[in-house]
């Protein structure tokens, strides 16, 4: 999945295959920019402050956010320094073309300088590679892709699902092959588990034949890294993505090509591959920081004034454009469209007041 998506984002215009919230309405990026400005006030207006975006796509969200902030929060606009985490050279060029100033690009968060930070990421985590484990004959196999088909292999050394004693759910552990107790040639290796962070998933591992569990280690590492940064230097990170509130077993890998579901195996690098984001796993990984949400995207955006702002903008537009602005707001917020499956999660400094949109 990592290689297929790297090839995909490097060579394609992903927005021919799927549409994201910032491409649906300019108001999405505007309200997220204002969210960052309000959070910056709550942080005590640090100057300079890093405004980081992960996976900025065409740069639309950041361009809309900067425009709104320049109008409504000039102090924040002057203090902020834009840093973009983006691996695709093609998309970096698209971002440079729409942004009003020189920005710094990074392949990952590691090279983003330390300092007070506000981070935005929309539909970024769902593009990161997952690992899938499948239950076969009472044991767990890991599912790989080889020659354009799925293959399953017994789990060897490495991070693996770790069933805990009954009632304690499951965690992630390190599975190590050991020689049999006698060490005699021909004896089956025994496996020992060492329990590791993060804390365990609260639900039991599914036991049925063919049950699937997924892990997304890169997403978890980003949550942990962001938690360390905001706890040490101040700030908050806002992730918007789609997935369930609680860790849930199941196969969520999806390929999208030309706006339609596709077979993830037939053309690696030609379709966008995504998987559900496990918000509960992110929250568990963000130790040290305070986690707010997840809150359904519809509720979150409504609290940030999506409809009021769309309405104000619509009043200045011709009727067709005005109607499409209001329809776009509904598409992002209605529960049976993007309002419920999509969620917002914030990882913040423990002393920061509850950020806008996350009120209980
Ligand atoms: N946030 C944008 C784009 C979402 S598509 C929007 O809402 O429209 C996913 C984005 O993440 C693309 O910009 C893609 O190039 C980037 N991306 C995917 N995998 C990445 C990785 N491992 N590291 C950095 N960026 C990545």
């Amino acid at each position: 999945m990592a290689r297929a998506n790297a090839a995909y984002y490097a060579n394609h215009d992903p927005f021919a295959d799927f549409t994201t919230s910032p491409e649906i309405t300019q108001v999405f990026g505007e309200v997220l920019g204002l969210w960052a400005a309000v959070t910056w006030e709550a942080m005590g207006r640090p100057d300079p402050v890093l405004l980081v975006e992960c996976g900025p796509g065409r740069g639309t969200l950041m361009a809309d956010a900067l425009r709104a902030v320049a109008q409504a929060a000039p102090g924040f606009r002057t203090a902020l320094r834009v840093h973009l985490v983006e691996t695709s050279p093609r998309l970096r060029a698209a971002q440079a073309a729409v942004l009003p100033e020189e920005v710094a690009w990074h392949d990952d968060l590691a090279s983003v300088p330390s300092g007070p930070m506000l981070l935005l990421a929309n539909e970024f985590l769902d593009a990161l590679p997952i690992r899938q484990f499948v239950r076969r004959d009472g044991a767990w196999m890991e599912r790989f892709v080889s020659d354009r088909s799925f293959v399953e292999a017994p789990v060897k050394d490495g991070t693996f699902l770790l069933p805990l004693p009954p009632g304690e759910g499951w965690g992630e552990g390190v599975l190590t092959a050991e020689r049999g107790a006698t060490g005699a040639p021909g004896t089956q290796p025994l496996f020992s588990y060492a329990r590791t962070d993060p804390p365990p998933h609260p639900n039991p591992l599914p036991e049925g034949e063919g049950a699937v569990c997924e892990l997304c280690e890169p997403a978890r590492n980003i949550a942990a890294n962001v938690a360390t940064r905001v706890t040490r230097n101040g700030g908050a990170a806002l992730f918007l993505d789609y997935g369930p509130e609680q860790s849930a077993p199941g196969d969520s890998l999806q390929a999208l090509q030309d706006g339609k579901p596709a077979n993830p195996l037939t053309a690696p690098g030609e379709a966008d591959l995504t998987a559900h984001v496990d918000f509960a796993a992110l929250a568990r990984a963000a130790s040290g920081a305070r986690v707010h949400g997840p809150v359904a995207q519809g509720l979150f955006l409504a609290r940030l004034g999506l409809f009021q702002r769309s309405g104000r903008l619509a009043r200045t537009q011709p009727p067709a454009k005005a109607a499409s602005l209001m329809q776009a707001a509904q598409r992002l917020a209605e529960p049976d469209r993007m309002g419920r499956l999509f969620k917002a999660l914030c990882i913040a400094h423990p002393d920061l007041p509850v950020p806008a949109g996350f009120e209980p």
Side-chain angles (χ1 to χ4, degrees), residues 9 15 18 20 22 55-57 85-88 91 122-124 128:
Y9 284 108
F15 302 96
F18 61 90
T20 56
V85 176
E86 173 63 69
T87 40
S88 160
L91 290 174
N122 183 60
E123 286 205 56
F124 167 66
L128 301 177

Side-chain angles (χ1 to χ4, degrees), residues 8-20:
Y8 173 76
Y9 284 108
N11 298 312
H12 289 78
D13 174 9
F15 302 96
D17 293 314
F18 61 90
T19 309
T20 56

Side-chain angles (χ1 to χ4, degrees), residues 25-321:
T25 171
Q26 69 181 73
V27 180
F28 182 78
E30 291 173 359
V31 295
L32 295 195
L34 298 174
W35 179 90
V38 169
T39 310
W40 174 73
E41 297 277 347
M43 289 161 63
R45 304 169 63 103
D47 183 357
V49 62
L50 305 168
L51 180 60
V52 182
E53 188 182 356
C54 293
R58 284 178 172 162
T60 309
L61 190 168
M62 184 58 78
D64 292 339
L66 292 177
R67 194 183 56 247
V69 160
Q71 280 254 319
F76 177 52
R77 183 70 187 86
T78 321
L80 67 86
R81 307 283 180 270
V82 177
H83 290 262
L84 303 179
V85 176
E86 173 63 69
T87 40
S88 160
R90 182 187 170 115
L91 290 174
R92 284 187 180 194
Q95 292 150 19
V98 298
L99 292 178
E101 66 220 34
E102 289 281 313
V103 302
W105 279 277
H106 306 269
D107 286 335
D108 56 39
L109 271 178
S111 59
V112 173
S114 64
M117 168 179 89
L118 288 153
L119 182 146
L120 304 172
N122 183 60
E123 286 205 56
F124 167 66
L125 300 174
D126 70 341
L128 301 177
I130 55 161
R131 294 170 69 194
Q132 279 193 342
F133 299 93
V134 191
R135 190 85 175 157
R136 298 283 179 221
D137 292 332
W140 288 98
M141 307 279 278
E142 184 160 4
R143 185 184 266 172
F144 297 97
V145 176
S146 168
D147 273 347
R148 302 196 177 191
S149 56
F150 284 124
V151 292
E152 292 170 6
V155 174
K156 299 209 184 74
D157 292 8
T159 309
F160 185 52
L161 305 178
L162 170 64
L164 298 174
E168 287 189 33
W170 56 290
E172 290 158 32
V174 178
L175 186 71
T176 321
E178 283 179 349
R179 284 280 105 214
T182 63
T187 49
Q188 288 294 311
L190 298 174
F191 289 98
S192 69
Y193 295 102
R195 189 164 150 179
T196 59
D197 285 338
H201 296 236
N203 304 320
L205 266 178
E207 293 287 322
E209 176 68 14
V212 174
C213 274
E214 297 176 339
L215 298 181
C216 187
E217 288 148 316
R220 194 184 72 198
N221 292 343
I222 286 169
N225 183 328
V226 159
T228 306
R229 281 172 181 259
V230 297
T231 305
R232 196 172 290 157
N233 302 311
L238 177 63
F239 295 95
L240 288 121
D241 227 305
Y242 78 115
E245 195 163 319
Q246 293 300 328
S247 304
D251 174 2
S252 78
L253 181 68
Q254 251 201 67
L256 274 181
Q257 201 170 5
D258 300 327
K260 292 185 287 287
N263 181 332
L265 298 174
T266 38
E270 295 297 318
D272 173 57
L273 296 181
T274 78
H276 280 182
V277 169
D278 182 346
F279 287 99
L282 295 179
R284 284 193 296 272
S287 59
R290 183 152 167 218
V291 177
H292 305 271
V295 171
Q297 168 167 293
L299 178 60
F300 178 70
L301 293 176
R303 284 172 165 173
L304 297 191
L306 171 75
F307 289 102
Q308 290 87 334
R309 201 171 170 89
S310 300
R312 265 203 310 277
L313 185 61
R315 282 200 286 280
T316 66
Q317 303 294 318
K321 172 85 174 117

Side-chain angles (χ1 to χ4, degrees), residues 290 292 352-360:
R290 183 152 167 218
H292 305 271
L352 201 66
V354 176
F358 291 95
E359 301 83 0

